[in-house]
Each structure stands twice: as structure tokens, then as C-alpha cells.
Short mmCIF file of all heavy atoms in Angstrom, two decimals:
data_model
loop_
_atom_site.label_atom_id
_atom_site.label_comp_id
_atom_site.label_asym_id
_atom_site.label_seq_id
_atom_site.Cartn_x
_atom_site.Cartn_y
_atom_site.Cartn_z
N GLN A 1 11.03 -5.32 10.34
CA GLN A 1 11.84 -6.28 9.64
C GLN A 1 12.59 -5.57 8.46
O GLN A 1 12.04 -4.73 7.86
CB GLN A 1 10.83 -7.34 9.05
CG GLN A 1 11.54 -8.33 8.12
CD GLN A 1 10.67 -9.44 7.68
OE1 GLN A 1 9.63 -9.63 8.27
NE2 GLN A 1 11.00 -10.10 6.54
N THR A 2 13.80 -6.04 8.27
CA THR A 2 14.63 -5.39 7.23
C THR A 2 14.40 -6.12 5.92
O THR A 2 14.46 -7.42 5.94
CB THR A 2 16.08 -5.47 7.65
OG1 THR A 2 16.28 -4.74 8.81
CG2 THR A 2 16.99 -4.84 6.49
N LEU A 3 14.15 -5.43 4.91
CA LEU A 3 13.90 -6.10 3.58
C LEU A 3 15.25 -6.28 2.87
O LEU A 3 16.18 -5.50 3.00
CB LEU A 3 13.00 -5.25 2.67
CG LEU A 3 11.59 -4.99 3.18
CD1 LEU A 3 10.85 -4.06 2.25
CD2 LEU A 3 10.85 -6.25 3.52
N THR A 4 15.34 -7.27 2.04
CA THR A 4 16.52 -7.48 1.29
C THR A 4 16.55 -6.50 0.14
O THR A 4 15.57 -5.88 -0.20
CB THR A 4 16.59 -8.96 0.67
OG1 THR A 4 15.55 -9.12 -0.33
CG2 THR A 4 16.38 -10.05 1.77
N ALA A 5 17.79 -6.37 -0.57
CA ALA A 5 17.90 -5.46 -1.70
C ALA A 5 16.94 -5.87 -2.77
O ALA A 5 16.33 -5.08 -3.52
CB ALA A 5 19.33 -5.44 -2.16
N GLN A 6 16.80 -7.24 -2.98
CA GLN A 6 15.91 -7.75 -4.00
C GLN A 6 14.43 -7.40 -3.78
O GLN A 6 13.71 -7.00 -4.62
CB GLN A 6 16.11 -9.28 -4.15
CG GLN A 6 15.27 -9.80 -5.26
CD GLN A 6 15.59 -11.39 -5.41
OE1 GLN A 6 16.30 -11.94 -4.64
NE2 GLN A 6 14.95 -11.94 -6.39
N GLN A 7 14.02 -7.55 -2.49
CA GLN A 7 12.67 -7.19 -1.99
C GLN A 7 12.41 -5.72 -2.30
O GLN A 7 11.40 -5.28 -2.77
CB GLN A 7 12.41 -7.51 -0.61
CG GLN A 7 12.36 -8.98 -0.35
CD GLN A 7 12.15 -9.30 1.21
OE1 GLN A 7 13.05 -8.86 1.89
NE2 GLN A 7 11.14 -10.05 1.58
N ARG A 8 13.38 -4.85 -1.89
CA ARG A 8 13.25 -3.40 -2.09
C ARG A 8 13.10 -3.05 -3.53
O ARG A 8 12.32 -2.25 -3.96
CB ARG A 8 14.35 -2.64 -1.35
CG ARG A 8 14.27 -2.70 0.08
CD ARG A 8 15.28 -1.68 0.82
NE ARG A 8 16.64 -1.87 0.36
CZ ARG A 8 17.62 -2.66 0.85
NH1 ARG A 8 17.22 -3.45 1.82
NH2 ARG A 8 18.78 -2.64 0.37
N ALA A 9 13.95 -3.68 -4.36
CA ALA A 9 13.88 -3.39 -5.81
C ALA A 9 12.50 -3.84 -6.41
O ALA A 9 11.97 -3.14 -7.22
CB ALA A 9 15.09 -4.15 -6.52
N GLY A 10 12.07 -4.94 -5.91
CA GLY A 10 10.70 -5.40 -6.45
C GLY A 10 9.59 -4.49 -6.04
O GLY A 10 8.78 -4.22 -6.89
N LEU A 11 9.68 -4.12 -4.76
CA LEU A 11 8.59 -3.11 -4.36
C LEU A 11 8.76 -1.85 -5.10
O LEU A 11 7.71 -1.17 -5.44
CB LEU A 11 8.81 -2.89 -2.79
CG LEU A 11 8.21 -4.10 -1.96
CD1 LEU A 11 8.66 -3.89 -0.53
CD2 LEU A 11 6.76 -4.25 -2.12
N ALA A 12 9.97 -1.35 -5.29
CA ALA A 12 10.08 -0.06 -6.05
C ALA A 12 9.57 -0.21 -7.48
O ALA A 12 8.91 0.77 -7.91
CB ALA A 12 11.65 0.30 -6.08
N ALA A 13 9.87 -1.32 -8.08
CA ALA A 13 9.35 -1.50 -9.42
C ALA A 13 7.77 -1.54 -9.40
O ALA A 13 7.15 -0.91 -10.31
CB ALA A 13 9.86 -2.81 -10.08
N LEU A 14 7.23 -2.26 -8.41
CA LEU A 14 5.68 -2.20 -8.25
C LEU A 14 5.23 -0.80 -8.00
O LEU A 14 4.18 -0.42 -8.68
CB LEU A 14 5.30 -3.14 -7.20
CG LEU A 14 3.79 -3.16 -6.85
CD1 LEU A 14 3.05 -3.84 -8.01
CD2 LEU A 14 3.57 -3.96 -5.62
N LEU A 15 5.81 -0.02 -7.11
CA LEU A 15 5.42 1.39 -6.89
C LEU A 15 5.35 2.14 -8.23
O LEU A 15 4.46 2.96 -8.50
CB LEU A 15 6.35 1.99 -5.86
CG LEU A 15 6.21 1.43 -4.51
CD1 LEU A 15 7.35 1.89 -3.65
CD2 LEU A 15 4.89 1.91 -3.85
N ARG A 16 6.42 2.06 -9.07
CA ARG A 16 6.44 2.75 -10.38
C ARG A 16 5.31 2.20 -11.27
O ARG A 16 4.57 3.01 -11.86
CB ARG A 16 7.70 2.55 -11.02
CG ARG A 16 8.87 3.44 -10.36
CD ARG A 16 10.10 3.34 -11.16
NE ARG A 16 10.66 2.04 -11.31
CZ ARG A 16 11.51 1.42 -10.40
NH1 ARG A 16 11.80 2.08 -9.33
NH2 ARG A 16 11.93 0.18 -10.72
N ARG A 17 5.17 0.87 -11.30
CA ARG A 17 4.15 0.36 -12.26
C ARG A 17 2.74 0.68 -11.83
O ARG A 17 1.89 1.06 -12.67
CB ARG A 17 4.37 -1.24 -12.24
CG ARG A 17 3.58 -1.95 -13.24
CD ARG A 17 3.98 -3.38 -13.36
NE ARG A 17 3.94 -4.16 -12.20
CZ ARG A 17 5.04 -4.66 -11.51
NH1 ARG A 17 6.31 -4.39 -11.99
NH2 ARG A 17 5.03 -5.27 -10.37
N GLU A 18 2.46 0.76 -10.54
CA GLU A 18 1.17 1.13 -10.04
C GLU A 18 1.00 2.69 -9.97
O GLU A 18 -0.08 3.12 -9.50
CB GLU A 18 0.86 0.42 -8.79
CG GLU A 18 0.83 -1.04 -8.86
CD GLU A 18 -0.26 -1.66 -9.70
OE1 GLU A 18 -1.20 -0.88 -9.91
OE2 GLU A 18 -0.16 -2.74 -10.07
N ARG A 19 2.01 3.38 -10.26
CA ARG A 19 1.98 4.92 -10.06
C ARG A 19 1.47 5.32 -8.74
O ARG A 19 0.65 6.16 -8.59
CB ARG A 19 1.09 5.41 -11.20
CG ARG A 19 1.57 5.17 -12.64
CD ARG A 19 0.86 5.74 -13.85
NE ARG A 19 -0.64 5.84 -13.63
CZ ARG A 19 -1.57 4.84 -13.77
NH1 ARG A 19 -1.27 3.67 -14.04
NH2 ARG A 19 -2.82 5.13 -13.56
N PHE A 20 2.09 4.78 -7.76
CA PHE A 20 1.67 4.97 -6.29
C PHE A 20 1.74 6.46 -5.91
O PHE A 20 0.81 6.92 -5.36
CB PHE A 20 2.61 4.18 -5.42
CG PHE A 20 2.14 4.28 -3.92
CD1 PHE A 20 1.10 3.53 -3.45
CD2 PHE A 20 2.85 5.15 -3.07
CE1 PHE A 20 0.72 3.68 -2.10
CE2 PHE A 20 2.43 5.31 -1.83
CZ PHE A 20 1.44 4.56 -1.23
N SER A 21 2.70 7.12 -6.40
CA SER A 21 2.91 8.59 -6.06
C SER A 21 1.76 9.43 -6.67
O SER A 21 1.55 10.58 -6.14
CB SER A 21 4.21 9.11 -6.40
OG SER A 21 4.44 9.08 -7.86
N ALA A 22 1.07 8.92 -7.72
CA ALA A 22 -0.02 9.63 -8.25
C ALA A 22 -1.42 9.36 -7.63
O ALA A 22 -2.39 9.98 -8.00
CB ALA A 22 -0.12 9.34 -9.81
N LEU A 23 -1.41 8.43 -6.72
CA LEU A 23 -2.74 8.08 -6.03
C LEU A 23 -3.09 9.28 -5.13
O LEU A 23 -2.19 9.96 -4.61
CB LEU A 23 -2.59 6.86 -5.25
CG LEU A 23 -2.41 5.50 -5.94
CD1 LEU A 23 -2.13 4.30 -4.93
CD2 LEU A 23 -3.72 5.25 -6.67
N PRO A 24 -4.43 9.46 -4.89
CA PRO A 24 -4.83 10.48 -3.97
C PRO A 24 -4.39 10.23 -2.64
O PRO A 24 -4.18 9.02 -2.21
CB PRO A 24 -6.34 10.48 -4.10
CG PRO A 24 -6.77 9.49 -5.06
CD PRO A 24 -5.50 8.73 -5.55
N ALA A 25 -4.13 11.27 -1.71
CA ALA A 25 -3.71 11.11 -0.41
C ALA A 25 -4.73 10.32 0.45
O ALA A 25 -4.36 9.52 1.31
CB ALA A 25 -3.45 12.43 0.23
N THR A 26 -6.03 10.47 0.09
CA THR A 26 -7.13 9.79 0.81
C THR A 26 -8.15 9.34 -0.25
O THR A 26 -8.57 10.09 -1.09
CB THR A 26 -7.78 10.72 1.83
OG1 THR A 26 -6.73 11.18 2.74
CG2 THR A 26 -8.87 10.02 2.62
N THR A 27 -8.54 8.08 -0.14
CA THR A 27 -9.70 7.53 -0.88
C THR A 27 -10.64 6.90 0.00
O THR A 27 -10.29 6.02 0.92
CB THR A 27 -9.23 6.51 -1.91
OG1 THR A 27 -8.20 7.08 -2.66
CG2 THR A 27 -10.30 5.90 -2.71
N ARG A 28 -11.93 7.34 -0.05
CA ARG A 28 -12.96 6.82 0.74
C ARG A 28 -13.85 6.08 -0.24
O ARG A 28 -14.52 6.73 -1.01
CB ARG A 28 -13.64 7.86 1.58
CG ARG A 28 -12.73 8.64 2.42
CD ARG A 28 -13.32 9.01 3.77
NE ARG A 28 -12.45 9.78 4.59
CZ ARG A 28 -11.58 9.20 5.47
NH1 ARG A 28 -11.49 7.90 5.57
NH2 ARG A 28 -10.83 9.97 6.17
N CYS A 29 -13.89 4.78 -0.22
CA CYS A 29 -14.67 4.03 -1.17
C CYS A 29 -16.22 4.03 -0.76
O CYS A 29 -16.55 3.84 0.32
CB CYS A 29 -14.17 2.49 -1.16
SG CYS A 29 -12.38 2.42 -1.47
N ALA A 30 -17.00 4.33 -1.87
CA ALA A 30 -18.44 4.36 -1.66
C ALA A 30 -18.98 3.05 -1.07
O ALA A 30 -18.50 1.95 -1.44
CB ALA A 30 -19.10 4.67 -2.98
N GLY A 31 -19.93 3.15 -0.14
CA GLY A 31 -20.57 2.04 0.39
C GLY A 31 -19.72 1.22 1.48
O GLY A 31 -20.23 0.27 2.04
N THR A 32 -18.57 1.82 1.85
CA THR A 32 -17.80 1.09 2.94
C THR A 32 -18.25 1.59 4.21
O THR A 32 -18.41 2.86 4.45
CB THR A 32 -16.23 1.45 2.75
OG1 THR A 32 -15.81 1.03 1.46
CG2 THR A 32 -15.49 0.88 3.87
N VAL A 33 -18.63 0.73 5.12
CA VAL A 33 -19.17 1.12 6.44
C VAL A 33 -18.10 1.76 7.27
O VAL A 33 -16.93 1.39 7.19
CB VAL A 33 -19.83 -0.07 7.17
CG1 VAL A 33 -21.01 -0.61 6.38
CG2 VAL A 33 -18.88 -1.18 7.35
N PRO A 34 -18.51 2.65 8.20
CA PRO A 34 -17.43 3.37 8.93
C PRO A 34 -16.59 2.58 9.88
O PRO A 34 -15.51 2.95 10.24
CB PRO A 34 -18.27 4.40 9.80
CG PRO A 34 -19.65 4.37 9.30
CD PRO A 34 -19.85 3.18 8.34
N ASP A 35 -17.15 1.44 10.31
CA ASP A 35 -16.39 0.59 11.29
C ASP A 35 -15.34 -0.28 10.70
O ASP A 35 -14.55 -1.02 11.38
CB ASP A 35 -17.29 -0.19 12.14
CG ASP A 35 -18.13 -1.19 11.40
OD1 ASP A 35 -18.35 -0.95 10.22
OD2 ASP A 35 -18.60 -2.13 12.06
N ILE A 36 -15.15 -0.08 9.29
CA ILE A 36 -14.03 -0.87 8.63
C ILE A 36 -12.80 -0.01 8.67
O ILE A 36 -12.85 1.19 8.42
CB ILE A 36 -14.41 -1.09 7.13
CG1 ILE A 36 -15.68 -1.92 7.02
CG2 ILE A 36 -13.25 -1.76 6.35
CD1 ILE A 36 -15.51 -3.37 7.50
N ALA A 37 -11.67 -0.65 9.08
CA ALA A 37 -10.47 0.12 9.21
C ALA A 37 -9.97 0.53 7.82
O ALA A 37 -10.11 -0.08 6.92
CB ALA A 37 -9.36 -0.75 9.94
N SER A 38 -9.26 1.71 7.92
CA SER A 38 -8.58 2.14 6.68
C SER A 38 -7.16 1.52 6.79
O SER A 38 -6.63 1.13 7.68
CB SER A 38 -8.44 3.77 6.80
OG SER A 38 -9.62 4.27 6.81
N GLU A 39 -6.58 1.53 5.56
CA GLU A 39 -5.20 1.06 5.37
C GLU A 39 -4.42 2.22 4.87
O GLU A 39 -4.94 2.98 4.00
CB GLU A 39 -5.12 -0.12 4.37
CG GLU A 39 -5.93 -1.38 4.92
CD GLU A 39 -6.04 -2.43 3.93
OE1 GLU A 39 -6.23 -2.14 2.73
OE2 GLU A 39 -6.09 -3.67 4.34
N VAL A 40 -3.18 2.36 5.29
CA VAL A 40 -2.24 3.34 4.90
C VAL A 40 -0.90 2.80 4.53
O VAL A 40 -0.43 1.92 5.23
CB VAL A 40 -2.23 4.54 5.92
CG1 VAL A 40 -1.57 4.04 7.19
CG2 VAL A 40 -1.51 5.65 5.36
N VAL A 41 -0.33 3.37 3.51
CA VAL A 41 1.07 3.01 3.12
C VAL A 41 1.79 4.35 2.98
O VAL A 41 1.30 5.24 2.28
CB VAL A 41 1.08 2.22 1.78
CG1 VAL A 41 2.57 2.10 1.26
CG2 VAL A 41 0.46 0.85 1.92
N THR A 42 2.95 4.45 3.63
CA THR A 42 3.82 5.61 3.41
C THR A 42 5.19 5.09 2.77
O THR A 42 5.71 4.18 3.32
CB THR A 42 4.10 6.27 4.85
OG1 THR A 42 2.92 6.57 5.45
CG2 THR A 42 5.02 7.46 4.65
N VAL A 43 5.54 5.77 1.78
CA VAL A 43 6.77 5.42 1.04
C VAL A 43 7.66 6.67 1.21
O VAL A 43 7.37 7.77 0.92
CB VAL A 43 6.45 5.11 -0.40
CG1 VAL A 43 7.75 4.95 -1.13
CG2 VAL A 43 5.61 3.96 -0.55
N LYS A 44 8.87 6.35 1.66
CA LYS A 44 9.89 7.44 1.84
C LYS A 44 11.11 7.09 0.83
O LYS A 44 11.57 5.95 0.88
CB LYS A 44 10.40 7.43 3.29
CG LYS A 44 9.36 7.93 4.22
CD LYS A 44 9.87 7.97 5.65
CE LYS A 44 8.71 8.43 6.54
NZ LYS A 44 9.14 8.54 7.95
N ALA A 45 11.50 8.05 0.05
CA ALA A 45 12.59 7.83 -0.80
C ALA A 45 13.43 9.13 -0.75
O ALA A 45 12.95 10.18 -1.24
CB ALA A 45 12.09 7.55 -2.24
N GLY A 46 14.53 9.04 -0.15
CA GLY A 46 15.38 10.28 0.05
C GLY A 46 14.67 11.17 0.87
O GLY A 46 14.24 10.88 2.05
N THR A 47 14.40 12.42 0.35
CA THR A 47 13.73 13.39 1.23
C THR A 47 12.22 13.46 0.94
O THR A 47 11.57 14.22 1.47
CB THR A 47 14.35 14.85 0.93
OG1 THR A 47 14.22 15.09 -0.46
CG2 THR A 47 15.78 14.92 1.39
N ARG A 48 11.73 12.69 -0.04
CA ARG A 48 10.39 12.58 -0.49
C ARG A 48 9.61 11.56 0.37
O ARG A 48 10.18 10.47 0.65
CB ARG A 48 10.16 12.28 -1.90
CG ARG A 48 10.75 13.39 -2.85
CD ARG A 48 10.47 13.05 -4.31
NE ARG A 48 9.20 12.57 -4.51
CZ ARG A 48 8.86 11.85 -5.67
NH1 ARG A 48 9.71 11.61 -6.54
NH2 ARG A 48 7.66 11.48 -5.77
N SER A 49 8.37 11.88 0.70
CA SER A 49 7.54 10.95 1.45
C SER A 49 6.09 11.09 0.77
O SER A 49 5.56 12.19 0.57
CB SER A 49 7.47 11.36 2.92
OG SER A 49 6.59 10.48 3.63
N THR A 50 5.57 9.93 0.55
CA THR A 50 4.23 9.87 -0.11
C THR A 50 3.36 8.92 0.78
O THR A 50 3.73 7.74 0.96
CB THR A 50 4.20 9.34 -1.52
OG1 THR A 50 5.14 10.20 -2.33
CG2 THR A 50 2.87 9.28 -2.14
N ALA A 51 2.23 9.41 1.29
CA ALA A 51 1.36 8.55 2.14
C ALA A 51 0.01 8.48 1.43
O ALA A 51 -0.46 9.52 0.88
CB ALA A 51 1.23 9.16 3.54
N THR A 52 -0.54 7.33 1.41
CA THR A 52 -1.94 7.14 0.82
C THR A 52 -2.65 6.30 1.76
O THR A 52 -2.33 5.28 2.30
CB THR A 52 -1.82 6.38 -0.47
OG1 THR A 52 -1.07 7.20 -1.44
CG2 THR A 52 -3.16 6.21 -1.20
N LEU A 53 -3.88 6.81 2.01
CA LEU A 53 -4.86 6.11 2.90
C LEU A 53 -6.04 5.70 2.08
O LEU A 53 -6.59 6.46 1.38
CB LEU A 53 -5.38 6.99 4.07
CG LEU A 53 -6.30 6.51 5.01
CD1 LEU A 53 -5.97 7.00 6.42
CD2 LEU A 53 -7.69 6.89 4.68
N VAL A 54 -6.51 4.44 2.25
CA VAL A 54 -7.69 3.98 1.56
C VAL A 54 -8.72 3.43 2.58
O VAL A 54 -8.20 2.51 3.43
CB VAL A 54 -7.38 2.94 0.43
CG1 VAL A 54 -8.67 2.45 -0.18
CG2 VAL A 54 -6.52 3.62 -0.63
N HIS A 55 -9.96 3.80 2.55
CA HIS A 55 -10.99 3.24 3.40
C HIS A 55 -11.90 2.47 2.53
O HIS A 55 -12.67 3.00 1.83
CB HIS A 55 -11.71 4.33 4.19
CG HIS A 55 -12.73 3.90 5.11
ND1 HIS A 55 -14.06 4.11 4.96
CD2 HIS A 55 -12.65 3.08 6.14
CE1 HIS A 55 -14.78 3.58 5.96
NE2 HIS A 55 -13.86 2.90 6.66
N GLY A 56 -11.75 1.11 2.49
CA GLY A 56 -12.54 0.28 1.59
C GLY A 56 -11.60 -0.39 0.62
O GLY A 56 -10.43 -0.30 0.62
N GLY A 57 -12.26 -1.03 -0.39
CA GLY A 57 -11.47 -1.77 -1.33
C GLY A 57 -11.60 -1.46 -2.75
O GLY A 57 -11.61 -2.29 -3.61
N CYS A 58 -11.66 -0.15 -2.99
CA CYS A 58 -11.96 0.31 -4.39
C CYS A 58 -10.74 0.72 -5.13
O CYS A 58 -10.91 1.35 -6.28
CB CYS A 58 -12.97 1.42 -4.31
SG CYS A 58 -12.43 2.93 -3.45
N SER A 59 -9.54 0.57 -4.67
CA SER A 59 -8.35 1.02 -5.25
C SER A 59 -7.39 -0.11 -5.63
O SER A 59 -6.56 -0.49 -4.79
CB SER A 59 -7.68 2.08 -4.46
OG SER A 59 -6.40 2.47 -5.16
N PRO A 60 -7.55 -0.77 -6.77
CA PRO A 60 -6.72 -1.93 -7.11
C PRO A 60 -5.24 -1.59 -7.10
O PRO A 60 -4.42 -2.45 -6.62
CB PRO A 60 -7.19 -2.44 -8.49
CG PRO A 60 -8.35 -1.54 -8.77
CD PRO A 60 -8.49 -0.46 -7.74
N ARG A 61 -4.78 -0.40 -7.41
CA ARG A 61 -3.45 -0.02 -7.42
C ARG A 61 -2.92 -0.02 -5.98
O ARG A 61 -1.84 -0.49 -5.72
CB ARG A 61 -3.30 1.34 -8.09
CG ARG A 61 -3.48 1.17 -9.65
CD ARG A 61 -3.56 2.58 -10.30
NE ARG A 61 -2.64 3.60 -9.90
CZ ARG A 61 -2.90 4.86 -9.98
NH1 ARG A 61 -3.96 5.36 -10.50
NH2 ARG A 61 -1.94 5.74 -9.67
N PHE A 62 -3.64 0.62 -5.08
CA PHE A 62 -3.24 0.62 -3.65
C PHE A 62 -3.18 -0.74 -3.15
O PHE A 62 -2.31 -1.18 -2.45
CB PHE A 62 -4.18 1.44 -2.91
CG PHE A 62 -3.90 1.52 -1.38
CD1 PHE A 62 -2.97 2.38 -0.82
CD2 PHE A 62 -4.49 0.53 -0.57
CE1 PHE A 62 -2.68 2.40 0.53
CE2 PHE A 62 -4.17 0.56 0.79
CZ PHE A 62 -3.22 1.43 1.30
N THR A 63 -4.24 -1.54 -3.44
CA THR A 63 -4.33 -2.94 -2.93
C THR A 63 -3.09 -3.78 -3.36
O THR A 63 -2.57 -4.55 -2.62
CB THR A 63 -5.61 -3.56 -3.29
OG1 THR A 63 -6.75 -2.84 -2.81
CG2 THR A 63 -5.77 -5.02 -2.85
N ALA A 64 -2.74 -3.64 -4.57
CA ALA A 64 -1.56 -4.39 -5.12
C ALA A 64 -0.32 -4.00 -4.29
O ALA A 64 0.50 -4.89 -3.88
CB ALA A 64 -1.26 -4.00 -6.57
N VAL A 65 -0.05 -2.68 -4.03
CA VAL A 65 1.17 -2.27 -3.25
C VAL A 65 0.95 -2.78 -1.80
O VAL A 65 1.96 -3.28 -1.25
CB VAL A 65 1.20 -0.69 -3.34
CG1 VAL A 65 2.22 -0.22 -2.23
CG2 VAL A 65 1.58 -0.23 -4.66
N TYR A 66 -0.19 -2.63 -1.16
CA TYR A 66 -0.37 -3.01 0.20
C TYR A 66 -0.12 -4.48 0.37
O TYR A 66 0.52 -4.89 1.27
CB TYR A 66 -1.88 -2.61 0.66
CG TYR A 66 -2.05 -2.86 2.16
CD1 TYR A 66 -1.74 -1.86 3.00
CD2 TYR A 66 -2.45 -4.09 2.71
CE1 TYR A 66 -1.88 -2.05 4.39
CE2 TYR A 66 -2.65 -4.31 4.00
CZ TYR A 66 -2.41 -3.20 4.91
OH TYR A 66 -2.50 -3.45 6.23
N GLN A 67 -0.67 -5.27 -0.53
CA GLN A 67 -0.53 -6.82 -0.45
C GLN A 67 0.95 -7.18 -0.64
O GLN A 67 1.37 -8.12 0.04
CB GLN A 67 -1.48 -7.49 -1.40
CG GLN A 67 -2.85 -7.37 -1.03
CD GLN A 67 -3.81 -8.08 -1.97
OE1 GLN A 67 -3.55 -8.34 -3.09
NE2 GLN A 67 -5.06 -8.31 -1.48
N ALA A 68 1.59 -6.50 -1.60
CA ALA A 68 2.99 -6.88 -1.80
C ALA A 68 3.91 -6.45 -0.59
O ALA A 68 4.72 -7.27 -0.13
CB ALA A 68 3.53 -6.10 -3.08
N LEU A 69 3.57 -5.30 -0.01
CA LEU A 69 4.33 -4.95 1.18
C LEU A 69 4.07 -5.90 2.31
O LEU A 69 4.96 -6.24 3.07
CB LEU A 69 4.02 -3.49 1.52
CG LEU A 69 4.76 -2.87 2.71
CD1 LEU A 69 6.21 -2.86 2.53
CD2 LEU A 69 4.24 -1.40 2.90
N ALA A 70 2.76 -6.19 2.53
CA ALA A 70 2.44 -7.09 3.64
C ALA A 70 3.14 -8.44 3.47
O ALA A 70 3.57 -8.98 4.51
CB ALA A 70 0.95 -7.22 3.63
N ALA A 71 3.14 -8.94 2.24
CA ALA A 71 3.82 -10.24 1.95
C ALA A 71 5.29 -10.10 2.24
O ALA A 71 5.88 -11.02 2.88
CB ALA A 71 3.53 -10.73 0.59
N ALA A 72 5.88 -9.05 1.85
CA ALA A 72 7.37 -8.88 2.07
C ALA A 72 7.77 -8.85 3.60
O ALA A 72 8.83 -9.34 3.91
CB ALA A 72 7.78 -7.53 1.37
N VAL A 73 6.88 -8.29 4.41
CA VAL A 73 7.26 -8.25 5.82
C VAL A 73 6.65 -9.42 6.58
O VAL A 73 6.75 -9.40 7.84
CB VAL A 73 6.92 -6.86 6.49
CG1 VAL A 73 7.68 -5.82 5.74
CG2 VAL A 73 5.40 -6.61 6.46
N GLY A 74 5.84 -10.27 5.91
CA GLY A 74 5.24 -11.32 6.66
C GLY A 74 4.01 -10.98 7.51
O GLY A 74 3.60 -11.67 8.39
N LEU A 75 3.33 -9.88 7.13
CA LEU A 75 2.15 -9.46 7.82
C LEU A 75 0.99 -10.36 7.52
O LEU A 75 0.76 -10.73 6.27
CB LEU A 75 1.72 -8.04 7.30
CG LEU A 75 0.48 -7.44 7.92
CD1 LEU A 75 0.63 -7.21 9.46
CD2 LEU A 75 0.08 -6.12 7.29
N ARG A 76 0.28 -10.79 8.53
CA ARG A 76 -0.89 -11.58 8.34
C ARG A 76 -2.12 -10.81 8.82
O ARG A 76 -2.05 -10.21 9.97
CB ARG A 76 -0.79 -12.84 9.18
CG ARG A 76 0.42 -13.69 8.75
CD ARG A 76 0.21 -15.19 9.01
NE ARG A 76 1.45 -16.01 8.93
CZ ARG A 76 2.02 -16.19 7.72
NH1 ARG A 76 1.69 -15.62 6.65
NH2 ARG A 76 3.14 -17.03 7.67
N TYR A 77 -3.12 -10.73 8.04
CA TYR A 77 -4.28 -10.01 8.45
C TYR A 77 -5.51 -10.67 7.91
O TYR A 77 -5.44 -11.68 7.08
CB TYR A 77 -4.22 -8.54 7.89
CG TYR A 77 -4.06 -8.34 6.43
CD1 TYR A 77 -5.11 -8.21 5.64
CD2 TYR A 77 -2.87 -8.53 5.86
CE1 TYR A 77 -5.02 -8.08 4.30
CE2 TYR A 77 -2.59 -8.42 4.49
CZ TYR A 77 -3.72 -8.15 3.71
OH TYR A 77 -3.57 -8.08 2.38
N GLY A 78 -6.73 -10.33 8.37
CA GLY A 78 -7.89 -10.95 7.89
C GLY A 78 -8.10 -12.31 8.55
O GLY A 78 -7.75 -12.51 9.71
N ARG A 79 -8.58 -13.34 7.70
CA ARG A 79 -8.93 -14.59 8.29
C ARG A 79 -7.81 -15.68 8.16
O ARG A 79 -8.11 -16.81 8.10
CB ARG A 79 -10.23 -15.18 7.53
CG ARG A 79 -11.39 -14.35 7.87
CD ARG A 79 -12.61 -14.94 7.36
NE ARG A 79 -13.71 -14.08 7.68
CZ ARG A 79 -14.93 -14.22 7.18
NH1 ARG A 79 -15.16 -15.24 6.29
NH2 ARG A 79 -15.98 -13.52 7.54
N GLY A 80 -6.59 -15.25 7.96
CA GLY A 80 -5.57 -16.17 7.71
C GLY A 80 -4.90 -16.56 8.97
O GLY A 80 -4.10 -17.18 9.34
#
């Protein structure tokens, strides 16, 4: 799905606010069972690419970005 300029600008602002590029490449949350899927977000800007993978729910900054991106593209997951 193609995002509008306004959606892209909003996501870019959120990425800066959450300091997404400073998140570790991989976060494995303590106590998360192995059969829970990991979530990954890859951001490409020009020639730069930043990917972050989180296994579990211990990164509020990552979760904020993931949920905003999911909402922007209409992704439905979980029990919805």
C-alpha cells in the first residue's frame, strides 16, 4: 500500500521522536517464550537502511513505531 505524504511525514516524525535508529538491531525480551513471533521494522531513507527486530514486548519505542506503521497500512493482527 502506498502511504500519503502526510502519513510518511507523521511516521518520519515518530521515528525521530522514538529515536528508532538508535534502537539495537535485535532485542530479545526476557521471559518471552520461543514460539512467540518476532516483529521487525526496516526503515529506508535514501541510501540508509535501519532494521530492528524485537522478540517480545519489552521495547515501548519499537512498539510505538510498529503500531503506527501497522495502522498506516491497515495491518490487522492479534485478536482483532
Side-chain angles (χ1 to χ4, degrees):
Q1 175 176 340
T2 302
L3 300 179
T4 67
Q6 184 176 3
Q7 287 174 309
R8 289 191 309 271
L11 287 168
L14 177 65
L15 290 166
R16 286 188 299 275
R17 191 168 51 251
E18 297 297 339
R19 300 179 330 276
F20 183 81
S21 63
L23 289 172
T26 302
T27 300
R28 303 217 181 270
C29 303
T32 302
V33 294
D35 59 338
I36 298 295
S38 297
E39 296 171 325
V40 64
V41 171
T42 301
V43 175
K44 295 180 181 180
T47 59
R48 291 181 48 198
S49 179
T50 303
T52 299
L53 176 142
V54 175
H55 183 243
C58 64
S59 178
R61 289 167 44 204
F62 176 87
T63 299
V65 170
Y66 189 91
Q67 288 178 344
L69 182 57
V73 299
L75 177 66
R76 301 208 190 292
Y77 58 97
R79 293 185 180 170

